[in-house]
Amino acid sequence: MASAFVFSDDTVLCQQTPDGWWPLQVQLPQTRPNPDDSGHPQAYQVGHVTLLESLAPNHWLSDGLPDDSINIKRKISDINTFTAQAASAITYDYAVAHNVALPLVAESSGNVFLPYRQLITQLPVALTTQISQAIQLLRWQTDTRFCSRCAAAVVHADRGERAMVCPVCRLRQYPRVQPCVITAITRPNPQTGEMQVLLAHHHRYGEHTLPRLYGLIAGFVEVGESLEHAVVREVAEEVNISVTDIRYVSSQPWPFPSNLMLGFRASYAGGDIVIQEDELSHADFFDVSNLPKIPSKGSIAYELIAQIAHEQCTTL
């Protein structure tokens, strides 16, 4: 019998275990797939998606993996070695409409819907990536009901292809992935020589929440831009400085709304900080040994900053 994760917007149904929260999979009733007009069974239904396998980072990391492990009931010892197997995901509304048996959802029962941002701090990388995949696909289904060319109602592609197809003009619409660059910019402190990293407080973090949260410079890649060009442009737009020695580090799918975060590092080349006031309220270079509040563990921003701190023999 097939099983599936259950979602409500960007939250997923989780179960309390002795070692923390873990996404719960519910059993799906056995039903015959409904064939479409071509006679092929429909691979997807609105509110129900198939998730691809999500590989563990050790498939591409060489060595020197960070000592960052957790011990959950499934005896996962290292967040970098756990691979999330192919699975399914459904929405809460789909579960109710199709009589999927759900556990009691309440704090007292140990079953609650938890937000993605909370889970990335404690779950294996591959599992959080798979949860991100589910959030994006379910939202894509909801947002892609009509053809963007002729406005006709679309249907799911058959044979397992992730696409919405217009039955009138045959336009195929695929899940959108929006590339974003995020950059950790460093320089030596002009007075002490200690390594510093440029951090900025964005208006979206909230002006009255203390301590203030500071993050890295980030932004969407424009049409016709290389990734490196996007780094140079975003840094110039947001803080008015120039950078050099731009180098790619790693990436992370981010489901807000459907981004692929491409992490870079760069060195400060020159200029005085002048913030883009409609986006930022403050930006400055901070000593690695004296950082403000930064994004949570599990985010690519944290990983980029942690890499710099590790090089300076500093722990976050």
mmCIF file of all heavy atoms in Angstrom, residues 201-246:
data_model
loop_
_atom_site.group_PDB
_atom_site.id
_atom_site.type_symbol
_atom_site.label_atom_id
_atom_site.label_comp_id
_atom_site.label_asym_id
_atom_site.label_seq_id
_atom_site.Cartn_x
_atom_site.Cartn_y
_atom_site.Cartn_z
ATOM 1 N N HIS A 201 20.602 43.640 7.214
ATOM 2 C CA HIS A 201 19.280 43.441 7.820
ATOM 3 C C HIS A 201 18.231 43.883 6.818
ATOM 4 O O HIS A 201 18.172 45.046 6.414
ATOM 5 C CB HIS A 201 19.135 44.254 9.109
ATOM 6 C CG HIS A 201 17.775 44.139 9.734
ATOM 7 N ND1 HIS A 201 17.373 43.016 10.417
ATOM 8 C CD2 HIS A 201 16.713 44.988 9.750
ATOM 9 C CE1 HIS A 201 16.129 43.181 10.845
ATOM 10 N NE2 HIS A 201 15.711 44.365 10.447
ATOM 11 N N HIS A 202 17.412 42.925 6.400
ATOM 12 C CA HIS A 202 16.379 43.174 5.393
ATOM 13 C C HIS A 202 15.074 43.568 6.078
ATOM 14 O O HIS A 202 14.760 43.084 7.162
ATOM 15 C CB HIS A 202 16.157 41.899 4.560
ATOM 16 C CG HIS A 202 15.530 42.147 3.234
ATOM 17 N ND1 HIS A 202 14.197 42.472 3.090
ATOM 18 C CD2 HIS A 202 16.039 42.120 1.971
ATOM 19 C CE1 HIS A 202 13.902 42.633 1.814
ATOM 20 N NE2 HIS A 202 15.001 42.426 1.113
ATOM 21 N N HIS A 203 14.314 44.436 5.425
ATOM 22 C CA HIS A 203 13.036 44.861 6.006
ATOM 23 C C HIS A 203 12.123 43.680 6.303
ATOM 24 O O HIS A 203 11.357 43.710 7.273
ATOM 25 C CB HIS A 203 12.317 45.823 5.046
ATOM 26 C CG HIS A 203 13.002 47.144 4.885
ATOM 27 N ND1 HIS A 203 13.429 47.900 5.957
ATOM 28 C CD2 HIS A 203 13.346 47.851 3.763
ATOM 29 C CE1 HIS A 203 13.992 49.018 5.523
ATOM 30 N NE2 HIS A 203 13.969 49.005 4.190
ATOM 31 N N ARG A 204 12.193 42.631 5.473
ATOM 32 C CA ARG A 204 11.280 41.498 5.673
ATOM 33 C C ARG A 204 11.570 40.745 6.966
ATOM 34 O O ARG A 204 10.745 39.958 7.432
ATOM 35 C CB ARG A 204 11.347 40.532 4.486
ATOM 36 C CG ARG A 204 12.641 39.778 4.323
ATOM 37 C CD ARG A 204 12.552 38.738 3.213
ATOM 38 N NE ARG A 204 13.838 38.075 3.008
ATOM 39 C CZ ARG A 204 14.746 38.464 2.144
ATOM 40 N NH1 ARG A 204 14.521 39.531 1.393
ATOM 41 N NH2 ARG A 204 15.893 37.813 2.010
ATOM 42 N N TYR A 205 12.760 40.953 7.555
ATOM 43 C CA TYR A 205 13.080 40.290 8.813
ATOM 44 C C TYR A 205 12.314 40.907 9.987
ATOM 45 O O TYR A 205 12.253 40.320 11.065
ATOM 46 C CB TYR A 205 14.573 40.370 9.107
ATOM 47 C CG TYR A 205 15.457 39.635 8.123
ATOM 48 C CD1 TYR A 205 16.766 40.047 7.894
ATOM 49 C CD2 TYR A 205 15.003 38.528 7.417
ATOM 50 C CE1 TYR A 205 17.593 39.376 6.996
ATOM 51 C CE2 TYR A 205 15.809 37.857 6.516
ATOM 52 C CZ TYR A 205 17.108 38.287 6.311
ATOM 53 O OH TYR A 205 17.919 37.626 5.428
ATOM 54 N N GLY A 206 11.785 42.117 9.782
ATOM 55 C CA GLY A 206 11.063 42.798 10.862
ATOM 56 C C GLY A 206 11.941 43.814 11.558
ATOM 57 O O GLY A 206 13.094 43.527 11.912
ATOM 58 N N GLU A 207 11.403 45.005 11.744
ATOM 59 C CA GLU A 207 12.196 46.092 12.336
ATOM 60 C C GLU A 207 12.132 46.098 13.857
ATOM 61 O O GLU A 207 12.961 46.718 14.507
ATOM 62 C CB GLU A 207 11.696 47.443 11.794
ATOM 63 C CG GLU A 207 11.812 47.594 10.283
ATOM 64 C CD GLU A 207 13.254 47.443 9.794
ATOM 65 O OE1 GLU A 207 14.166 47.934 10.475
ATOM 66 O OE2 GLU A 207 13.458 46.809 8.753
ATOM 67 N N HIS A 208 11.144 45.438 14.424
ATOM 68 C CA HIS A 208 10.947 45.526 15.876
ATOM 69 C C HIS A 208 11.269 44.225 16.605
ATOM 70 O O HIS A 208 11.096 44.126 17.813
ATOM 71 C CB HIS A 208 9.506 45.948 16.178
ATOM 72 C CG HIS A 208 9.103 47.224 15.499
ATOM 73 N ND1 HIS A 208 9.662 48.445 15.824
ATOM 74 C CD2 HIS A 208 8.228 47.459 14.485
ATOM 75 C CE1 HIS A 208 9.135 49.392 15.049
ATOM 76 N NE2 HIS A 208 8.268 48.813 14.229
ATOM 77 N N THR A 209 11.727 43.228 15.851
ATOM 78 C CA THR A 209 12.101 41.955 16.480
ATOM 79 C C THR A 209 13.567 42.012 16.887
ATOM 80 O O THR A 209 14.449 42.253 16.054
ATOM 81 C CB THR A 209 11.881 40.785 15.500
ATOM 82 O OG1 THR A 209 10.520 40.780 15.068
ATOM 83 C CG2 THR A 209 12.210 39.464 16.173
ATOM 84 N N LEU A 210 13.826 41.783 18.160
ATOM 85 C CA LEU A 210 15.195 41.843 18.672
ATOM 86 C C LEU A 210 15.613 40.479 19.205
ATOM 87 O O LEU A 210 14.806 39.749 19.771
ATOM 88 C CB LEU A 210 15.296 42.899 19.786
ATOM 89 C CG LEU A 210 15.000 44.345 19.352
ATOM 90 C CD1 LEU A 210 15.044 45.277 20.557
ATOM 91 C CD2 LEU A 210 15.980 44.812 18.288
ATOM 92 N N PRO A 211 16.900 40.081 19.063
ATOM 93 C CA PRO A 211 17.919 40.824 18.308
ATOM 94 C C PRO A 211 17.647 40.772 16.809
ATOM 95 O O PRO A 211 17.014 39.826 16.316
ATOM 96 C CB PRO A 211 19.212 40.088 18.660
ATOM 97 C CG PRO A 211 18.776 38.690 18.965
ATOM 98 C CD PRO A 211 17.432 38.816 19.618
ATOM 99 N N ARG A 212 18.103 41.759 16.088
ATOM 100 C CA ARG A 212 17.876 41.829 14.649
ATOM 101 C C ARG A 212 18.579 40.684 13.924
ATOM 102 O O ARG A 212 19.696 40.305 14.272
ATOM 103 C CB ARG A 212 18.396 43.153 14.098
ATOM 104 C CG ARG A 212 17.483 44.335 14.352
ATOM 105 C CD ARG A 212 18.011 45.554 13.623
ATOM 106 N NE ARG A 212 17.024 46.613 13.536
ATOM 107 C CZ ARG A 212 17.155 47.681 12.768
ATOM 108 N NH1 ARG A 212 18.236 47.828 12.025
ATOM 109 N NH2 ARG A 212 16.230 48.612 12.744
ATOM 110 N N LEU A 213 17.893 40.166 12.919
ATOM 111 C CA LEU A 213 18.445 39.090 12.099
ATOM 112 C C LEU A 213 19.177 39.688 10.909
ATOM 113 O O LEU A 213 18.646 40.561 10.221
ATOM 114 C CB LEU A 213 17.318 38.168 11.617
ATOM 115 C CG LEU A 213 17.721 37.036 10.674
ATOM 116 C CD1 LEU A 213 18.605 36.017 11.392
ATOM 117 C CD2 LEU A 213 16.471 36.348 10.109
ATOM 118 N N TYR A 214 20.401 39.207 10.669
ATOM 119 C CA TYR A 214 21.206 39.670 9.536
ATOM 120 C C TYR A 214 21.488 38.501 8.599
ATOM 121 O O TYR A 214 21.781 37.391 9.047
ATOM 122 C CB TYR A 214 22.524 40.263 10.022
ATOM 123 C CG TYR A 214 22.410 41.683 10.535
ATOM 124 C CD1 TYR A 214 21.864 41.945 11.792
ATOM 125 C CD2 TYR A 214 22.843 42.765 9.772
ATOM 126 C CE1 TYR A 214 21.755 43.247 12.267
ATOM 127 C CE2 TYR A 214 22.744 44.066 10.238
ATOM 128 C CZ TYR A 214 22.198 44.300 11.480
ATOM 129 O OH TYR A 214 22.087 45.591 11.944
ATOM 130 N N GLY A 215 21.405 38.769 7.293
ATOM 131 C CA GLY A 215 21.669 37.734 6.307
ATOM 132 C C GLY A 215 22.655 38.196 5.251
ATOM 133 O O GLY A 215 23.242 39.280 5.349
ATOM 134 N N LEU A 216 22.817 37.368 4.226
ATOM 135 C CA LEU A 216 23.741 37.670 3.141
ATOM 136 C C LEU A 216 23.016 38.395 2.007
ATOM 137 O O LEU A 216 21.792 38.410 1.941
ATOM 138 C CB LEU A 216 24.358 36.370 2.617
ATOM 139 C CG LEU A 216 25.147 35.542 3.631
ATOM 140 C CD1 LEU A 216 25.605 34.225 2.998
ATOM 141 C CD2 LEU A 216 26.347 36.321 4.159
ATOM 142 N N ILE A 217 23.792 38.983 1.113
ATOM 143 C CA ILE A 217 23.221 39.648 -0.047
ATOM 144 C C ILE A 217 22.742 38.590 -1.038
ATOM 145 O O ILE A 217 23.479 37.669 -1.393
ATOM 146 C CB ILE A 217 24.269 40.559 -0.728
ATOM 147 C CG1 ILE A 217 24.775 41.610 0.265
ATOM 148 C CG2 ILE A 217 23.679 41.223 -1.963
ATOM 149 C CD1 ILE A 217 23.690 42.525 0.809
ATOM 150 N N ALA A 218 21.492 38.717 -1.486
ATOM 151 C CA ALA A 218 20.904 37.711 -2.374
ATOM 152 C C ALA A 218 19.925 38.377 -3.328
ATOM 153 O O ALA A 218 19.396 39.463 -3.048
ATOM 154 C CB ALA A 218 20.195 36.629 -1.567
ATOM 155 N N GLY A 219 19.679 37.724 -4.459
ATOM 156 C CA GLY A 219 18.707 38.253 -5.401
ATOM 157 C C GLY A 219 18.524 37.341 -6.597
ATOM 158 O O GLY A 219 19.336 36.440 -6.854
ATOM 159 N N PHE A 220 17.466 37.571 -7.346
ATOM 160 C CA PHE A 220 17.145 36.753 -8.509
ATOM 161 C C PHE A 220 18.082 37.045 -9.676
ATOM 162 O O PHE A 220 18.528 38.170 -9.866
ATOM 163 C CB PHE A 220 15.701 37.001 -8.961
ATOM 164 C CG PHE A 220 14.671 36.489 -8.000
ATOM 165 C CD1 PHE A 220 13.997 37.365 -7.144
ATOM 166 C CD2 PHE A 220 14.377 35.138 -7.935
ATOM 167 C CE1 PHE A 220 13.047 36.893 -6.261
ATOM 168 C CE2 PHE A 220 13.425 34.657 -7.055
ATOM 169 C CZ PHE A 220 12.762 35.538 -6.209
ATOM 170 N N VAL A 221 18.349 36.008 -10.458
ATOM 171 C CA VAL A 221 19.136 36.145 -11.680
ATOM 172 C C VAL A 221 18.220 36.703 -12.768
ATOM 173 O O VAL A 221 17.108 36.213 -12.970
ATOM 174 C CB VAL A 221 19.706 34.778 -12.123
ATOM 175 C CG1 VAL A 221 20.507 34.920 -13.411
ATOM 176 C CG2 VAL A 221 20.573 34.184 -11.010
ATOM 177 N N GLU A 222 18.678 37.738 -13.461
ATOM 178 C CA GLU A 222 17.890 38.353 -14.525
ATOM 179 C C GLU A 222 18.080 37.597 -15.840
ATOM 180 O O GLU A 222 19.079 36.888 -16.029
ATOM 181 C CB GLU A 222 18.310 39.817 -14.717
ATOM 182 C CG GLU A 222 18.049 40.710 -13.516
ATOM 183 C CD GLU A 222 16.582 41.018 -13.307
ATOM 184 O OE1 GLU A 222 15.766 40.674 -14.186
ATOM 185 O OE2 GLU A 222 16.237 41.579 -12.249
ATOM 186 N N VAL A 223 17.124 37.764 -16.743
ATOM 187 C CA VAL A 223 17.221 37.163 -18.072
ATOM 188 C C VAL A 223 18.488 37.665 -18.773
ATOM 189 O O VAL A 223 18.784 38.854 -18.767
ATOM 190 C CB VAL A 223 15.980 37.519 -18.919
ATOM 191 C CG1 VAL A 223 16.149 37.050 -20.356
ATOM 192 C CG2 VAL A 223 14.731 36.910 -18.303
ATOM 193 N N GLY A 224 19.257 36.738 -19.344
ATOM 194 C CA GLY A 224 20.453 37.116 -20.083
ATOM 195 C C GLY A 224 21.694 37.299 -19.235
ATOM 196 O O GLY A 224 22.753 37.661 -19.764
ATOM 197 N N GLU A 225 21.594 37.053 -17.923
ATOM 198 C CA GLU A 225 22.740 37.214 -17.029
ATOM 199 C C GLU A 225 23.425 35.896 -16.763
ATOM 200 O O GLU A 225 22.769 34.853 -16.667
ATOM 201 C CB GLU A 225 22.286 37.753 -15.664
ATOM 202 C CG GLU A 225 22.231 39.230 -15.535
ATOM 203 C CD GLU A 225 21.949 39.656 -14.099
ATOM 204 O OE1 GLU A 225 21.306 38.898 -13.353
ATOM 205 O OE2 GLU A 225 22.351 40.760 -13.729
ATOM 206 N N SER A 226 24.738 35.941 -16.588
ATOM 207 C CA SER A 226 25.444 34.800 -16.011
ATOM 208 C C SER A 226 25.263 34.880 -14.498
ATOM 209 O O SER A 226 24.872 35.925 -13.948
ATOM 210 C CB SER A 226 26.927 34.848 -16.366
ATOM 211 O OG SER A 226 27.550 35.958 -15.715
ATOM 212 N N LEU A 227 25.551 33.799 -13.804
ATOM 213 C CA LEU A 227 25.434 33.816 -12.339
ATOM 214 C C LEU A 227 26.406 34.817 -11.725
ATOM 215 O O LEU A 227 26.078 35.536 -10.779
ATOM 216 C CB LEU A 227 25.679 32.412 -11.788
ATOM 217 C CG LEU A 227 24.708 31.326 -12.257
ATOM 218 C CD1 LEU A 227 25.099 29.975 -11.666
ATOM 219 C CD2 LEU A 227 23.277 31.676 -11.884
ATOM 220 N N GLU A 228 27.631 34.860 -12.272
ATOM 221 C CA GLU A 228 28.644 35.782 -11.745
ATOM 222 C C GLU A 228 28.209 37.234 -11.951
ATOM 223 O O GLU A 228 28.410 38.085 -11.080
ATOM 224 C CB GLU A 228 29.990 35.527 -12.420
ATOM 225 C CG GLU A 228 30.610 34.173 -12.096
ATOM 226 C CD GLU A 228 30.022 33.032 -12.923
ATOM 227 O OE1 GLU A 228 29.158 33.291 -13.797
ATOM 228 O OE2 GLU A 228 30.411 31.873 -12.689
ATOM 229 N N HIS A 229 27.621 37.510 -13.126
ATOM 230 C CA HIS A 229 27.114 38.856 -13.388
ATOM 231 C C HIS A 229 26.040 39.221 -12.378
ATOM 232 O O HIS A 229 25.988 40.360 -11.879
ATOM 233 C CB HIS A 229 26.567 38.921 -14.816
ATOM 234 C CG HIS A 229 26.120 40.293 -15.249
ATOM 235 N ND1 HIS A 229 25.669 40.569 -16.512
ATOM 236 C CD2 HIS A 229 26.046 41.470 -14.571
ATOM 237 C CE1 HIS A 229 25.349 41.848 -16.608
ATOM 238 N NE2 HIS A 229 25.561 42.416 -15.426
ATOM 239 N N ALA A 230 25.163 38.264 -12.060
ATOM 240 C CA ALA A 230 24.098 38.504 -11.093
ATOM 241 C C ALA A 230 24.675 38.854 -9.720
ATOM 242 O O ALA A 230 24.155 39.729 -9.019
ATOM 243 C CB ALA A 230 23.188 37.284 -10.988
ATOM 244 N N VAL A 231 25.757 38.171 -9.328
ATOM 245 C CA VAL A 231 26.411 38.474 -8.050
ATOM 246 C C VAL A 231 26.900 39.922 -8.050
ATOM 247 O O VAL A 231 26.632 40.697 -7.112
ATOM 248 C CB VAL A 231 27.588 37.511 -7.790
ATOM 249 C CG1 VAL A 231 28.429 38.000 -6.606
ATOM 250 C CG2 VAL A 231 27.081 36.100 -7.533
ATOM 251 N N VAL A 232 27.620 40.312 -9.092
ATOM 252 C CA VAL A 232 28.166 41.672 -9.174
ATOM 253 C C VAL A 232 27.044 42.708 -9.136
ATOM 254 O O VAL A 232 27.114 43.705 -8.399
ATOM 255 C CB VAL A 232 29.002 41.842 -10.468
ATOM 256 C CG1 VAL A 232 29.393 43.301 -10.671
ATOM 257 C CG2 VAL A 232 30.250 40.970 -10.409
ATOM 258 N N ARG A 233 25.982 42.480 -9.921
ATOM 259 C CA ARG A 233 24.878 43.440 -9.993
ATOM 260 C C ARG A 233 24.131 43.547 -8.666
ATOM 261 O O ARG A 233 23.859 44.662 -8.187
ATOM 262 C CB ARG A 233 23.906 43.035 -11.106
ATOM 263 C CG ARG A 233 22.677 43.943 -11.191
ATOM 264 C CD ARG A 233 21.664 43.438 -12.200
ATOM 265 N NE ARG A 233 21.304 42.038 -11.979
ATOM 266 C CZ ARG A 233 20.468 41.624 -11.026
ATOM 267 N NH1 ARG A 233 19.932 42.483 -10.169
ATOM 268 N NH2 ARG A 233 20.186 40.340 -10.904
ATOM 269 N N GLU A 234 23.780 42.402 -8.058
ATOM 270 C CA GLU A 234 23.016 42.435 -6.811
ATOM 271 C C GLU A 234 23.795 43.132 -5.698
ATOM 272 O O GLU A 234 23.234 43.922 -4.937
ATOM 273 C CB GLU A 234 22.647 41.010 -6.374
ATOM 274 C CG GLU A 234 21.458 40.418 -7.089
ATOM 275 C CD GLU A 234 20.147 41.108 -6.754
ATOM 276 O OE1 GLU A 234 20.043 41.738 -5.679
ATOM 277 O OE2 GLU A 234 19.231 41.036 -7.580
ATOM 278 N N VAL A 235 25.089 42.856 -5.605
ATOM 279 C CA VAL A 235 25.913 43.481 -4.573
ATOM 280 C C VAL A 235 25.973 44.991 -4.795
ATOM 281 O O VAL A 235 25.831 45.786 -3.855
ATOM 282 C CB VAL A 235 27.329 42.868 -4.563
ATOM 283 C CG1 VAL A 235 28.249 43.668 -3.645
ATOM 284 C CG2 VAL A 235 27.272 41.406 -4.121
ATOM 285 N N ALA A 236 26.159 45.400 -6.043
ATOM 286 C CA ALA A 236 26.222 46.829 -6.353
ATOM 287 C C ALA A 236 24.884 47.514 -6.061
ATOM 288 O O ALA A 236 24.838 48.626 -5.520
ATOM 289 C CB ALA A 236 26.613 47.035 -7.811
ATOM 290 N N GLU A 237 23.786 46.852 -6.411
ATOM 291 C CA GLU A 237 22.466 47.444 -6.199
ATOM 292 C C GLU A 237 22.137 47.580 -4.717
ATOM 293 O O GLU A 237 21.591 48.599 -4.287
ATOM 294 C CB GLU A 237 21.393 46.580 -6.865
ATOM 295 C CG GLU A 237 21.337 46.687 -8.373
ATOM 296 C CD GLU A 237 20.276 45.793 -8.994
ATOM 297 O OE1 GLU A 237 19.609 45.028 -8.242
ATOM 298 O OE2 GLU A 237 20.113 45.851 -10.217
ATOM 299 N N GLU A 238 22.457 46.562 -3.942
ATOM 300 C CA GLU A 238 21.995 46.544 -2.549
ATOM 301 C C GLU A 238 22.930 47.268 -1.588
ATOM 302 O O GLU A 238 22.463 47.857 -0.614
ATOM 303 C CB GLU A 238 21.772 45.100 -2.092
ATOM 304 C CG GLU A 238 20.632 44.411 -2.842
ATOM 305 C CD GLU A 238 20.135 43.158 -2.156
ATOM 306 O OE1 GLU A 238 20.531 42.903 -1.002
ATOM 307 O OE2 GLU A 238 19.354 42.412 -2.779
ATOM 308 N N VAL A 239 24.246 47.218 -1.847
ATOM 309 C CA VAL A 239 25.178 47.846 -0.889
ATOM 310 C C VAL A 239 26.237 48.731 -1.550
ATOM 311 O O VAL A 239 27.119 49.264 -0.869
ATOM 312 C CB VAL A 239 25.866 46.789 0.011
ATOM 313 C CG1 VAL A 239 24.875 46.213 1.009
ATOM 314 C CG2 VAL A 239 26.493 45.677 -0.823
ATOM 315 N N ASN A 240 26.202 48.877 -2.888
ATOM 316 C CA ASN A 240 27.039 49.852 -3.583
ATOM 317 C C ASN A 240 28.542 49.564 -3.547
ATOM 318 O O ASN A 240 29.355 50.466 -3.688
ATOM 319 C CB ASN A 240 26.783 51.266 -3.006
ATOM 320 C CG ASN A 240 27.379 52.363 -3.864
ATOM 321 O OD1 ASN A 240 27.130 52.414 -5.065
ATOM 322 N ND2 ASN A 240 28.176 53.231 -3.262
ATOM 323 N N ILE A 241 28.935 48.297 -3.352
ATOM 324 C CA ILE A 241 30.364 47.990 -3.356
ATOM 325 C C ILE A 241 30.680 47.064 -4.522
ATOM 326 O O ILE A 241 29.776 46.492 -5.134
ATOM 327 C CB ILE A 241 30.836 47.346 -2.025
ATOM 328 C CG1 ILE A 241 30.166 45.980 -1.828
ATOM 329 C CG2 ILE A 241 30.559 48.275 -0.849
ATOM 330 C CD1 ILE A 241 30.713 45.206 -0.639
ATOM 331 N N SER A 242 31.965 46.929 -4.827
ATOM 332 C CA SER A 242 32.397 46.008 -5.876
ATOM 333 C C SER A 242 33.100 44.813 -5.249
ATOM 334 O O SER A 242 33.650 44.902 -4.144
ATOM 335 C CB SER A 242 33.334 46.712 -6.864
ATOM 336 O OG SER A 242 34.467 47.232 -6.185
ATOM 337 N N VAL A 243 33.050 43.679 -5.955
ATOM 338 C CA VAL A 243 33.639 42.447 -5.440
ATOM 339 C C VAL A 243 34.527 41.810 -6.506
ATOM 340 O O VAL A 243 34.423 42.116 -7.696
ATOM 341 C CB VAL A 243 32.549 41.441 -4.997
ATOM 342 C CG1 VAL A 243 31.793 41.947 -3.795
ATOM 343 C CG2 VAL A 243 31.592 41.147 -6.148
ATOM 344 N N THR A 244 35.375 40.922 -6.055
ATOM 345 C CA THR A 244 36.240 40.169 -6.956
ATOM 346 C C THR A 244 36.362 38.738 -6.439
ATOM 347 O O THR A 244 35.796 38.404 -5.392
ATOM 348 C CB THR A 244 37.631 40.830 -7.051
ATOM 349 O OG1 THR A 244 38.398 40.175 -8.059
ATOM 350 C CG2 THR A 244 38.364 40.748 -5.718
ATOM 351 N N ASP A 245 37.098 37.903 -7.164
ATOM 352 C CA ASP A 245 37.325 36.515 -6.755
ATOM 353 C C ASP A 245 35.999 35.799 -6.461
ATOM 354 O O ASP A 245 35.836 35.139 -5.429
ATOM 355 C CB ASP A 245 38.248 36.467 -5.528
ATOM 356 C CG ASP A 245 38.727 35.065 -5.207
ATOM 357 O OD1 ASP A 245 38.759 34.225 -6.140
ATOM 358 O OD2 ASP A 245 39.051 34.786 -4.034
ATOM 359 N N ILE A 246 35.033 35.909 -7.369
ATOM 360 C CA ILE A 246 33.725 35.278 -7.196
ATOM 361 C C ILE A 246 33.846 33.786 -7.475
ATOM 362 O O ILE A 246 34.349 33.384 -8.515
ATOM 363 C CB ILE A 246 32.692 35.910 -8.148
ATOM 364 C CG1 ILE A 246 32.516 37.395 -7.827
ATOM 365 C CG2 ILE A 246 31.350 35.179 -8.056
ATOM 366 C CD1 ILE A 246 31.703 38.149 -8.857
#
